[in-house]
């Protein structure tokens, strides 16, 4: 009987281990360009609850990084592009490593796996802004890690957009570096090879569809294309495989064909464009996660892949210059609640991801349009004012709130401005056109959100509380 119990327990342990996200090769990108970001401890709790064991962040904020301490979650921290110039100086690189890396390395500390030097610094739209600062920063951060004895454990890399390589014929085997970055890319990959660093690439099938109206829609997903691409006997039925193998061929041509590749960002937005829908995102992730769970790989690189989904949460203050979908990449909403069922294991275990726990919301109050006779002329200016300062992207064509009537559009704009300004009474005036109500204004697929109490709100409330108590004590002491 005892032996039977041991066998049963061993089986349970194996099943739990098998339930880790996509065989432990799956991570997520956690960005926080939001008006009311979730507390780091809540986000890390989400990752643990969903058995996601890898996270990639876009800076090295101490509070955020330290929230991973003792969790066993692998972390990629980063240096933003606009700071790269500082680290052309080695002393600055040494200080950064001491302050942002070494401080977290201890028993029960943070498992920092990678340091990302910049984020897509050679993106064409940056027009060469970071071309001269990226490589010196990379080399100095590497040197500083080596001096600290951390270079075997922590690898330096540069997350790069897939636009650093190209194939004029869209055939993977004809791929090569973009001509303006060719010399620099060869220097980088040789450095990666020498130091044992991975090549981190961001691949976005959604953008292929968004940027080209003639792009074959089925090629953006994973359930087969009507017109597969044949490349010397290798068949491509989706753009992800073709894009990834274009990189494989490019590396091979330049003598580093065995360099480790990590997909640093891949995902599908859920709002802000006709193709950015929950339905399409689910379809995309269903195909991607199944492939990862099967360790299928690509025609040129079969086998297990390391992939970071983009992204974890919606971010309502991101720039919409790339498109109005840009604030809606999260597999979770702004408040950490899941958008749709997913099989994060890739092994047929689809369910709603575990949402954020302990989230505190503001009061059940909404700001809506209160029509006033003769005031119609003021409405466009009021809406423009609100949408210039808050996130109205769900109102665009194809967005989740695109079906609202005129008054509904105005109410949405007023409410999102009201929420992003902490439900301030002043933020719902709009010269008398706004009205605060306690009945949920959401309708159909259009969510009129209530904002959360972010870490900043709580700190502010605590400070105000301390100030009030302090003032009270001062008055009491003065009276005596």
């Amino acid at each position: 009987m005892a032996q039977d119990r041991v066998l049963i327990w061993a089986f349970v342990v194996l099943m739990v281990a098998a339930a880790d996200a996509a065989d432990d090769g799956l991570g997520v990108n956690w960005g926080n360009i939001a008006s009311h970001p979730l507390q780091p401890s809540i986000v890390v709790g989400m990752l643990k609850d969903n058995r996601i064991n890898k996270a990639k962040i876009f800076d090295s904020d101490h509070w955020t990084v330290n929230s991973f301490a003792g969790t066993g979650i692998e972390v990629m921290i980063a240096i933003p592009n606009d700071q790269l110039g500082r680290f052309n100086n080695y002393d600055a690189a040494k200080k950064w490593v001491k302050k942002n890396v070494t401080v977290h390395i201890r028993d029960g500390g943070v498992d920092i796996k990678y340091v990302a030097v910049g984020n897509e610094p050679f993106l064409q739209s940056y027009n060469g802004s970071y071309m001269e600062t990226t490589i010196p920063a990379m080399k100095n951060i590497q040197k500083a890690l080596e001096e600290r004895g951390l270079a075997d454990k922590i690898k330096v890399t540069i997350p790069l957009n897939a636009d650093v390589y190209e194939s004029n014929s869209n055939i993977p085997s004809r791929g090569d570096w973009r001509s303006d970055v060719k010399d620099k890319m060869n220097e980088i990959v040789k450095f990666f090879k020498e130091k044992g660093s991975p090549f981190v690439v961001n691949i976005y099938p959604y953008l292929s569809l968004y940027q080209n109206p003639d792009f074959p829609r089925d090629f953006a997903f994973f359930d087969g294309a009507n017109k597969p691409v044949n490349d010397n006997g290798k068949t491509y039925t989706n753009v992800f495989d073709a894009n990834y193998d274009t990189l494989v061929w490019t590396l091979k041509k330049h003598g580093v064909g065995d360099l480790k590749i990590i997909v640093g960002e891949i995902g599908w937005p859920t709002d802000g464009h006709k193709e950015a829908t929950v339905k399409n995102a689910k379809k995309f992730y269903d195909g991607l996660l199944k492939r990862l769970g099967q360790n299928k790989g690509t025609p040129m690189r079969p086998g297990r892949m390391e992939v970071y989904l983009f992204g974890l949460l919606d971010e309502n203050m991101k720039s919409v210059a790339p498109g109005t979908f840009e604030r809606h990449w999260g597999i979770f909403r702004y408040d950490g609640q899941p958008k749709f069922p997913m099989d994060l294991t890739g092994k047929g275990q689809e369910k709603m991801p575990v949402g954020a726990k302990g989230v505190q919301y503001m009061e059940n109050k909404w700001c809506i349009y209160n029509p006033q006779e003769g005031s119609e002329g003021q409405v466009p200016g009021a809406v423009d004012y609100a949408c210039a300062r808050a996130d109205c992207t769900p109102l665009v064509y194809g967005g989740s709130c695109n079906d609202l009537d005129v008054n509904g559009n105005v109410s949405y704009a007023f409410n999102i401005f009201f929420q992003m300004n902490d439900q301030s009474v002043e933020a719902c005036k709009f010269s008398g056109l706004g009205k605060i109500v306690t009945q949920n204004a959401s309708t159909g697929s259009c969510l009129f959100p209530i904002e959360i109490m972010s870490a900043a709100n709580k700190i502010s409330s605590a400070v105000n509380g301390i100030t009030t108590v302090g003032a009270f004590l001062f008055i009491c002491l003065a009276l005596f």
Side-chain angles (χ1 to χ4, degrees):
M1 183 62 72
Q3 185 178 10
D4 289 344
R5 284 199 296 269
V6 170
L7 289 172
I8 291 170
W9 176 246
F11 176 74
V12 169
V13 170
L14 286 171
M15 290 302 293
V16 170
D20 282 349
D23 196 25
D24 212 25
L26 186 69
V28 292
N29 285 269
W30 170 17
N32 61 1
I33 307 177
S35 61
H36 295 69
L38 285 168
Q39 288 191 75
S41 60
I42 291 177
V43 176
V44 172
M46 286 172 58
L47 299 181
K48 292 169 66 178
D49 287 343
N50 289 287
R51 304 187 69 82
I52 296 172
N53 298 320
K54 300 175 189 291
K56 178 170 168 281
I57 62 175
F58 295 89
D59 55 28
S60 58
D61 173 71
H62 183 85
W63 187 17
T64 301
V65 177
N66 201 52
S67 66
F68 289 103
T71 64
I73 296 173
E74 292 182 1
V75 184
M76 183 185 300
I77 64 173
I79 300 171
N81 290 337
D82 60 2
Q83 295 181 23
L84 295 178
R86 289 172 47 200
F87 304 111
N88 287 201
N89 177 285
Y90 179 56
D91 285 339
K94 283 201 302 183
K95 289 176 182 176
W96 187 91
V97 167
K98 180 181 179 181
K99 179 181 178 182
N100 296 282
V101 180
T102 310
V103 68
H104 297 292
I105 307 302
R106 61 186 186 275
D107 288 340
V110 182
D111 186 7
I112 298 175
K113 188 80 171 176
Y114 303 105
V115 174
V117 177
N119 184 52
E120 302 185 332
F122 296 166
L123 196 67
Q124 281 184 296
S125 60
Y126 291 156
N127 297 315
S129 298
Y130 310 108
M131 202 75 80
E132 302 307 322
T133 55
T134 302
I135 293 177
M138 173 187 72
K139 291 181 175 179
N140 280 333
I141 294 294
Q142 174 71 34
K143 184 178 176 183
L145 287 172
E146 290 173 350
E147 187 175 301
R148 289 276 175 175
L150 297 171
D152 290 336
K153 171 182 167 54
I154 301 171
K155 299 299 180 181
V156 171
T157 188
I158 304 172
L160 293 155
N161 189 277
D163 76 347
V164 297
Y165 53 88
E166 59 192 1
S167 172
N168 293 332
S169 61
N170 294 320
I171 300 296
S173 61
R174 297 176 188 172
D176 205 344
W177 303 125
R178 206 174 73 217
S179 60
D180 62 313
V181 296
K182 192 168 188 175
D183 290 342
K184 293 191 182 299
M185 287 308 306
N186 280 329
E187 184 177 356
I188 287 170
V189 296
K190 287 174 183 175
F191 180 87
F192 287 169
K193 176 71 173 177
E194 177 188 343
K195 303 298 182 181
S197 295
F199 190 108
V200 178
V201 61
N202 300 340
I203 300 175
Y204 283 104
Y206 168 79
L207 294 180
S208 298
L209 189 61
Y210 173 76
Q211 293 169 348
N212 181 3
D214 298 321
F215 188 83
R217 193 173 185 279
D218 55 352
F219 207 59
F221 298 94
F222 293 96
D223 37 21
N226 291 324
K227 295 181 180 179
V229 173
N230 186 280
D231 183 10
N232 296 319
K234 297 190 183 299
T235 301
Y236 292 90
T237 60
N238 65 82
V239 69
F240 171 75
D241 283 358
N243 191 308
Y244 187 100
D245 279 0
T246 303
L247 171 59
V248 173
W249 274 105
T250 301
L251 294 172
K252 190 176 180 180
K253 287 178 181 177
H254 294 283
V256 288
D258 60 346
L259 195 63
K260 179 180 178 179
I261 298 173
I262 294 175
V263 178
E265 296 179 18
I266 185 170
W268 199 282
T270 58
D271 209 343
H273 183 258
K274 65 179 182 178
E275 295 289 0
T277 65
V278 168
K279 181 180 178 181
N280 283 347
K282 184 178 186 322
K283 179 180 179 181
F284 178 80
Y285 281 118
D286 283 351
L288 173 66
L289 294 170
K290 183 178 180 180
R291 291 168 63 87
L292 294 178
Q294 294 172 342
N295 290 325
K296 190 172 182 178
T298 67
M300 285 294 292
R301 281 270 186 102
R304 182 179 177 277
M305 304 178 80
E306 188 171 339
V307 172
Y308 290 78
L309 305 184
F310 189 87
L312 184 64
L313 300 160
D314 283 348
E315 301 172 76
N316 66 356
M317 293 187 72
K318 289 190 73 176
S319 168
V320 294
T324 47
F325 55 83
E326 191 65 23
R327 294 170 175 169
H328 306 281
W329 287 101
I331 56 177
F332 292 85
R333 300 184 327 186
Y334 71 101
D335 57 356
Q337 300 312 305
K339 296 179 180 179
F340 51 87
M342 301 180 75
D343 177 16
L344 291 171
T345 69
K347 299 181 185 298
Q349 301 176 30
E350 181 175 277
K351 58 183 179 180
M352 287 297 284
V354 180
K357 297 173 181 175
V359 178
Q360 295 182 26
Y361 294 84
M362 294 185 182
E363 295 181 59
N364 284 334
K365 295 193 299 188
W366 293 262
C367 177
I368 64 171
Y369 176 40
N370 184 29
Q372 303 288 321
E373 186 175 346
S375 64
E376 294 84 358
Q378 299 177 43
V379 172
V383 170
D384 286 346
Y385 180 86
C387 290
R389 294 162 176 80
D391 180 27
C392 293
T393 54
L395 295 174
V396 303
Y397 173 68
S400 61
C401 297
N402 181 223
D403 292 333
L404 296 177
D405 61 17
V406 173
N407 286 1
N409 283 331
V410 179
S411 289
Y412 186 91
F414 284 6
N415 182 65
I416 201 67
F417 179 81
F418 174 66
Q419 300 295 340
M420 288 180 70
N421 285 279
D422 300 329
Q423 297 186 346
S424 164
V425 172
E426 294 294 320
C428 189
K429 286 191 172 179
F430 295 104
S431 302
L433 296 175
K435 178 173 70 173
I436 296 174
V437 299
T438 56
Q439 181 177 350
N440 194 335
S442 301
T443 175
S445 65
C446 180
L447 173 69
F448 277 57
I450 290 179
E451 195 51 88
I452 64 171
M453 292 287 291
S454 71
N457 296 129
K458 293 181 179 180
I459 291 170
S460 177
S461 297
V463 169
N464 289 336
I466 291 168
T467 303
T468 302
V469 171
F472 175 73
L473 290 173
F474 178 79
I475 292 169
C476 289
L477 291 169
L479 290 173
F480 292 96

